[in-house]
Every structure is written in C-alpha cells, then in structure tokens.
Amino acid sequence: MSTVSFESLHWLRRFLDGTPGDDQVGGRPRQVPKVCWSRVTPATAPHPTLRLWSVEMGSELGLEAGHEKILGGSVSVKGMDSYAQRYGGHQFGHWAGQLGDGRAITLGEVKTASDVLELQLKGAGTTPYSRTADGKAVLRSSIREFLCSEAMHHLGVPTTRALSLVTTGEAVVRDVLYNGNPAPEPGAVVCRVAPSFLRFGSFQIHAAMGDRKTLATLVEHTVKHHFPDHHVNDDEGRVAWLERIAEDTAVMIAHWNRVGFVHGVMNTDNMSIHGLTIDYGPYGWLEDYNPNWTPNTTDASRRRYRYGQQAHIGAWNIARFLESIGPLMEEPEHLHEVLNTYYAAYEKHNSSMWAEKLGMDELRESDAPLLEDLVALLQKVETDMTVFFRLLSSLEEPKIKYLQTAFYDVTQCPEDEWNGWLNQWWQRVKGEPNRERMRRANPKYVLRNWMAQKAIEAAEEEDFSVAETLYQLLKKPYDEQPEFENEWFKKRPEWARNKVGCSMLSCSS
Ligand code: AMP
Ligand code: MG
C-alpha cells in the first residue's frame, strides 16, 4: 500500500455531522446536556517522540512510522476535526452520571480501503469531561494499552487497536496506590483505533437525562453507519439490533475467558457497542487458575470484576444498556429476549471454546462432569493456566508428569487425581485430541503482567527494546517461537508475586 501523509487520508466527519454537539469549543469541565460531543484541541506535547508503532495498523491506514507531532497531539492537519465524546455509565454497579472522554480526543474518522476507522488520542489533555483530572496518561499505562490491544488482536480476541505510542516529554504526577505518595512519571499518548468508541454509556447518558430526542438520533446514526444490515424502525428491528450487540459482547467475553484475560473495570462506560475489548486499565492475565482473581486493587474487596464473574457482569451491563433503549420501544418487555440471546450466545461460544481447548469437535452434555472436574483440579493447587493448556495441546501420553512445569510447587501436585482426569479425557478423545485445534485455542504467549512490567521498567529508563520484543513476540501467540521460550514461556517469577504493577494494579493511569 502506498504511504500517505495524514493530510491525504480520507477524513470523514460522520459523527460530528450526524449527532448534536456542544456549541462551545473546549472549555472547563462541566455538564454538557443534550449533546453527544464537544470540540476540543489536544494539548501540545513539549517533546513528542515516537516509541512504538503498529506496522499492521499503520499499513491498514496506509501510514508509515512517524508523525509524532500529530500523534502526540501538537499538530492538527486539514481534514481533522477533533472532539471528545460525551457518555455516562455505571461504575462498579452504581450510576455515575456524566463521564465522557476525559482524556481521549478523537482526531476524526478515516475511510480506508475496507472500513471507516476512528483515530483517537488517549492522554492528550483535558476536555469538558475531565472532571477534576488532568487529561493525561503515563507511560506505564500507555505501554500496557499499546501492547495489550495489539496482542489481543493477534490472539483473535475482538479489540480496539493501537497505532502508536508517543512520549510527550512532560512529567505527569500520579499516586499509583492511592496512598498519599504522588510522584512524577513520564507522560505518553497512545493513538487508538476502532470503528467507533461508542459505548453502552454513550446511550445511557441520554436515557438517564430523559433526553429521548438525542437518544433516538444517536441510535439512528449508530445503526446507519455501524450496523447497516439492521434497522430500528420498529421493536422487531430494535430487538434484532440489540441481539447482535449482545451476541458480539458474549463472543468477546468467551474469548477473554478462553485466554485468561481479566478486564478489571467492566463498567458500562467501558463496554463497546461493537463487542470490542476497550479501555485497557488495570487488566491482567490469570497466572494460576483462580476464578476469584482480579488484578484491580480498587476492586479488591468486592471482586465484582473477577475472572469467574465476567460473563455475568456482561449480562448485567447488557441489561443496563437495554434499559437505556427502553424509551424508544413501543413494548419494552421485548427487551428481555435480548438477555436470553446473550446467555444463549455465551453458552454456545463458551462451550465451543472449551471444546477447542480440549481438542474435541464439540462439547456434549455428557462432558459436563469432565469439565467440572478439570476446573476443580486446576484450582486445587497453584497451576499456571497458560502453561497447562499449552502443554496439554502437545501431550502424547495421559500422564501429569509431562505437565509438571505448570505447577508452582510440583511437590503439591495431586498426581493421582490428575492422572485419573487425564485418562478420562484421553478416552473421550480416543487418544487423538485435535492438537492443531488445541494449539490455536491455547496460546503459548500472553501479556502477563510481569512481562508488561519488564517492558515498562526498561522504557522508563528510555529503553523500548523490551516493549518492542513483546510487541513482536505477541504477534504470533500460537506459534512455538522457541527462541523466546526460556524468557517468556514460563510461570510468573517469584519476584512478581506481590509486586505493584504485577499482582496489584490500580485505576491510576
Ligand atoms: P476509566 O476508568 O479509564 O475507564 O475512566 C473513567 C472515566 O474517567 C472516563 O470518563 C475517563 O475519561 C475519565 N478519566 C480517567 N483518567 C482521566 C484523566 N487522567 N483525566 C481526565 N479524565 C480521566
Ligand atoms: Mg473508560
């Protein structure tokens, strides 16, 4: 594909033209009723330096690495018309009112050969939705967002993408553990990319304010541009559209559970209407298989967003989204059908993913005990999820001794029970699990928190080579890549067990 400048990208302004916006440009944080967006200008970065670049995303847009002034927020080009989106949301189960893009600024929509993509800078300064915060982002959270969005894409998990990471040359002060120890950190801006950054909360805000007119306009705009196979002319059409979103959401969460990803902050403002993983904050990856685990220290006591609860929270969030569409329905009771669709879709996709993980063509009802026993055994002693399933994918004899490296303390391994389970599974797959299928469902490399932490610590010393290595490694998460095995295909090292950034993450970013 030819290389073009930002000016010659094919810029569109569908959202700005199709939905109501704020009369004021920029301005102080405030309530902005009856609109979907406010125009804003990104802040100027003192020393923008390009540090990470997604070659794949760049080539989709026809761009080559560079453009740090634009991607750091300092320069605008013809065709761009930057804005922050207004939305609301339920945070940790409670309605939080107006939130909005407090530190995300959309540069515009770009038409590519196959899509229209929204380009958005995260960390480029305040907007009317910044509330009391600074609109900035620190390097550590930006590296986590860049690496994880690209890694998820290559894992086959629906996600927003990252194009670039630019350090700004500006210090940003954060209190990482919210314990009264603020400290300066390097600032950064990630340019992220998605068909849109519309969330459940984008619709909720208008319903909550009783603004049916803006709600209807936003729904019509969304369906016209993002769901062209659908219509919302009647209840039947609306329900079918919502079912599509419910199914996409269910597929995304089934994928999260397949690869051991824990989002950490499944607030309704962090739920994309495209069923894309969005807003990489205090996310994490299971190391030992613990359904009660959450990486988010802010949620440590209630564990609302723990691994084992993600599918239920998906339903809860869909229910809030459905309530927000209620005012447009002639017979709102039909919205219940959407929840049933969500649960059915989750069951279907989750069970087909389990079948893939276990090398079967499909899961039968009679397989339920096999699965229950597996999940119980995985929790009996500390067992690494990724290592376990990856080694299982190449097993030639049903003996747990070949999976030893999955155990954090191999002397604790319940050997007899495991051999019993492996035998049952072996019989079920007639000694011939579909290994190819398993290797495509059980990644060898995922972005464990301690891996991201290594990249962050090096980057904070101006060395981006670890981040670059991980970006390359995680492009092929299902390949053996033996040259990376010693360093990256392993259980969490002991130093990471109780380390901030590895076992504990906050929303401070
Ligand atoms: P999050 O937890 O990252 O999804 O953010 C929740 C809300 O807080 C969103 O409205 C964000 O835009 C806003 N927010 C988070 N961090 C900042 C920041 N540093 N400055 C301004 N707004 C922020
Ligand atoms: Mg968010």
Side-chain angles (χ1 to χ4, degrees):
M1 192 179 257
S2 65
T3 303
V4 295
S5 63
F6 260 74
E7 285 93 329
S8 50
L9 292 175
H10 186 159
W11 293 96
L12 301 177
R13 347 170 341 125
R14 303 183 309 184
F15 191 62
L16 294 181
D17 290 341
T19 64
D22 189 359
D23 292 334
Q24 200 181 326
V25 177
R28 295 176 156 276
R30 62 206 146 83
Q31 293 296 311
V32 195
K34 300 191 174 166
V35 307
C36 297
W37 48 267
S38 300
R39 273 205 177 79
V40 280
T41 309
T44 300
H47 294 291
T49 311
L50 180 69
R51 305 292 193 167
L52 295 169
W53 175 264
S54 166
V55 181
E56 298 75 24
M57 200 61 246
S59 86
E60 247 185 271
L61 293 161
L63 293 168
E64 267 180 21
H67 320 282
E68 56 278 339
K69 289 206 173 110
I70 297 166
L71 293 169
S74 304
V75 169
S76 174
V77 301
K78 197 162 159 276
M80 283 182 187
D81 199 351
S82 50
Y83 65 88
Q85 196 201 138
R86 176 171 178 249
Y87 54 77
H90 278 86
Q91 298 189 313
F92 298 96
H94 303 282
W95 175 245
Q98 177 184 295
L99 297 166
D101 286 334
R103 56 149 165 199
I105 298 179
T106 290
L107 298 177
E109 295 168 275
V110 172
K111 188 165 165 38
T112 68
S114 51
D115 283 306
V116 175
L117 297 171
E118 184 175 334
L119 268 57
Q120 184 178 78
L121 302 184
K122 186 167 173 181
T126 53
T127 76
Y129 310 100
S130 298
R131 293 175 288 161
T132 57
D134 60 6
K136 303 285 166 76
V138 292
L139 179 58
R140 76 184 139 77
S141 67
S142 305
I143 287 187
R144 285 169 51 83
E145 171 126 18
F146 181 97
L147 288 180
C148 203
S149 19
E150 291 308 281
M152 292 284 264
H153 168 72
H154 294 290
L155 279 164
V157 183
T159 180
T160 61
R161 301 289 302 277
L163 173 66
S164 59
L165 185 154
V166 169
T167 49
T168 57
E170 182 182 60
V172 173
V173 175
R174 288 289 180 273
D175 187 355
V176 181
L177 292 180
Y178 297 125
N179 62 0
N181 291 302
E185 298 185 43
V189 174
V190 166
C191 177
R192 52 183 193 177
V193 183
S196 89
F197 290 92
L198 289 165
R199 306 117 192 281
F200 293 179
S202 309
F203 300 84
Q204 283 184 286
I205 186 72
H206 307 298
M209 300 295 165
D211 182 1
R212 191 179 175 284
K213 185 165 170 245
T214 307
L215 175 69
T217 306
L218 180 62
V219 166
E220 277 155 30
H221 169 86
T222 303
V223 173
K224 176 174 167 197
H225 294 293
H226 299 294
F227 299 88
D229 300 340
H230 287 267
H231 72 82
V232 282
N233 303 337
D234 53 26
D235 274 4
E236 206 183 322
R238 286 184 275 269
V239 166
W241 168 59
L242 294 164
E243 285 182 321
R244 162 82 188 277
I245 294 174
E247 172 139 18
D248 291 348
T249 304
V251 169
M252 170 185 78
I253 296 175
H255 274 294
W256 290 356
N257 292 344
R258 168 176 68 84
V259 296
F261 176 81
V262 189
H263 183 284
V265 202
M266 292 177 73
N267 292 335
T268 58
D269 52 307
N270 290 340
M271 298 294 292
S272 148
I273 52 141
H274 305 287
L276 301 174
T277 313
I278 186 175
D279 275 15
Y280 290 91
Y283 67 82
W285 298 78
L286 286 194
E287 310 263 2
D288 57 311
Y289 189 87
N290 176 2
N292 286 320
W293 185 70
T294 173
N296 185 357
T297 43
T298 317
D299 189 27
S301 52
R302 284 175 61 209
R303 296 181 185 274
R304 177 178 173 87
Y305 298 139
R306 60 188 182 267
Y307 177 73
Q309 184 142 285
Q310 299 194 113
H312 301 296
I313 292 293
W316 194 89
N317 288 343
I318 293 274
R320 303 290 80 72
F321 177 47
L322 296 177
E323 284 165 5
S324 78
I325 303 301
L328 304 181
M329 296 285 292
E330 280 143 42
E331 293 174 17
E333 55 275 21
H334 289 302
L335 292 170
H336 284 290
E337 296 158 25
V338 181
L339 264 187
N340 296 337
T341 301
Y342 170 83
Y343 277 114
Y346 181 77
E347 278 308 313
K348 178 176 145 212
H349 292 282
N350 185 50
S351 81
S352 80
M353 287 185 206
W354 271 114
E356 288 168 19
K357 287 182 86 65
L358 295 174
M360 303 166 174
D361 291 338
E362 59 173 358
L363 218 57
R364 301 178 194 141
E365 253 178 71
S366 54
D367 291 324
L370 189 71
L371 213 60
E372 277 162 32
D373 291 350
L374 170 64
V375 167
L377 264 176
L378 282 169
Q379 292 172 68
K380 195 147 188 177
V381 301
E382 221 178 357
T383 311
D384 191 276
M385 175 181 180
T386 305
V387 174
F388 178 89
F389 282 102
R390 187 67 189 186
L391 294 180
L392 191 73
S393 313
S394 301
L395 202 66
E396 306 228 322
E397 215 190 318
K399 297 252 161 53
I400 196 67
K401 66 180 180 190
Y402 300 115
L403 304 175
Q404 272 193 3
T405 50
F407 296 96
Y408 280 77
D409 177 356
V410 75
T411 64
Q412 299 284 313
C413 166
E415 242 180 87
D416 295 342
E417 282 173 80
W418 267 121
N419 284 333
W421 184 86
L422 286 171
N423 268 311
Q424 281 179 29
W425 170 63
W426 205 248
Q427 279 172 28
R428 167 68 176 79
V429 297
K430 302 196 171 68
E432 286 180 1
N434 187 335
R435 295 196 176 87
E436 258 321 293
R437 208 159 192 240
M438 292 178 80
R439 285 189 206 107
R440 285 197 308 269
N442 296 316
K444 181 165 178 177
Y445 302 101
V446 294
L447 183 65
R448 297 166 185 264
N449 281 341
W450 58 267
M451 293 164 67
Q453 188 61 21
K454 279 189 151 187
I456 290 163
E457 286 174 13
E460 285 176 343
E461 303 293 324
E462 303 257 327
D463 171 7
F464 284 79
S465 64
V466 185
E468 187 62 35
T469 300
L470 291 181
Y471 163 57
Q472 299 297 343
L473 169 76
L474 296 169
K475 280 187 200 184
K476 296 178 192 154
Y478 301 104
D479 286 8
E480 291 299 333
Q481 304 192 70
E483 67 278 24
F484 288 118
E485 209 169 72
N486 281 343
E487 202 169 355
W488 303 116
F489 180 56
K490 59 184 185 192
K491 303 181 287 268
R492 174 192 53 220
E494 274 311 301
W495 61 260
R497 185 178 284 273
N498 295 310
K499 189 177 163 75
V500 175
C502 297
S503 65
M504 290 172 280
L505 287 148
S506 74
C507 290
S508 162
S509 56

